Amino acid sequence: QVQLVESGGGLVQPGGSLRLSCTASGSVYRIYYMGWYRQAPGKQRELVADITSDGDTNYADPVKGRFTISRDNGKNTIFLQMNNLKPEDTAVYYCNADEPRPAGAVNYYWGQGTQVTVSS
C-alpha cells in the first residue's frame, strides 16, 4: 500500500504564496500518477494539478500561471508552489496517488488534507 502525508497549508493574505508538500511511503515504485486536488465547503473535490512519473504536468484553468507542481522522485515527494493566491483558492488541499493493479484496476490513495486559507 501507499501512504501520503501532506504539509505546508496555512493562512495567507491575497497575493501571498504557499508551498505544499506531499511525501509518499510504502509501495512507491508502483505509482505512475500523483496530483493535487482541493475541496471547498459545499463544493465538489476538483483537480488542481497533476504530474506523471516521467514529469508530464497538467493544470486546472483557474490556477494556470500561478501554481507549479513538481516532484522529487528520490524523496518520493511532490510539491505545489502556489503564488498570487486569491480568496477563491481557499480549500482543503489533498494529495492523490494512483497505483496500477492487475486487470486494469487502479488503487487511489489520498492524504489527510491540508487547509489553505486566503484572506485579508
Side-chain angles (χ1 to χ4, degrees):
Q1 292 189 330
V2 175
Q3 297 80 43
L4 304 174
V5 178
E6 302 154 339
S7 64
L11 173 65
V12 296
Q13 293 185 348
S17 298
L18 284 173
R19 183 173 182 260
L20 306 183
S21 299
C22 173
T23 298
S25 61
S27 301
V28 295
Y29 55 88
R30 301 181 186 273
I31 297 173
Y32 69 89
Y33 166 98
M34 294 185 72
W36 289 98
Y37 291 71
R38 66 186 182 187
Q39 187 168 21
K43 303 293 185 180
Q44 189 170 335
R45 187 175 298 185
E46 64 180 8
L47 174 69
V48 177
D50 57 39
I51 187 167
T52 64
S53 59
D54 61 357
D56 292 332
T57 59
N58 179 59
Y59 297 91
D61 286 341
V63 308
K64 287 181 178 178
R66 299 188 298 120
F67 292 9
T68 303
I69 188 171
S70 61
R71 79 189 199 284
D72 184 339
N73 286 337
K75 298 183 181 297
N76 304 312
T77 300
I78 63 167
F79 307 93
L80 186 68
Q81 179 65 46
M82 304 186 294
N83 297 327
N84 300 315
L85 283 161
K86 304 176 180 180
E88 50 264 45
D89 295 318
T90 296
V92 177
Y93 284 69
Y94 296 91
C95 182
N96 163 253
D98 295 347
E99 176 194 29
R101 302 294 294 170
V106 179
N107 283 344
Y108 301 94
Y109 298 97
W110 295 93
Q112 80 286 352
T114 184
Q115 177 70 48
V116 172
T117 302
V118 185
S119 176
S120 60

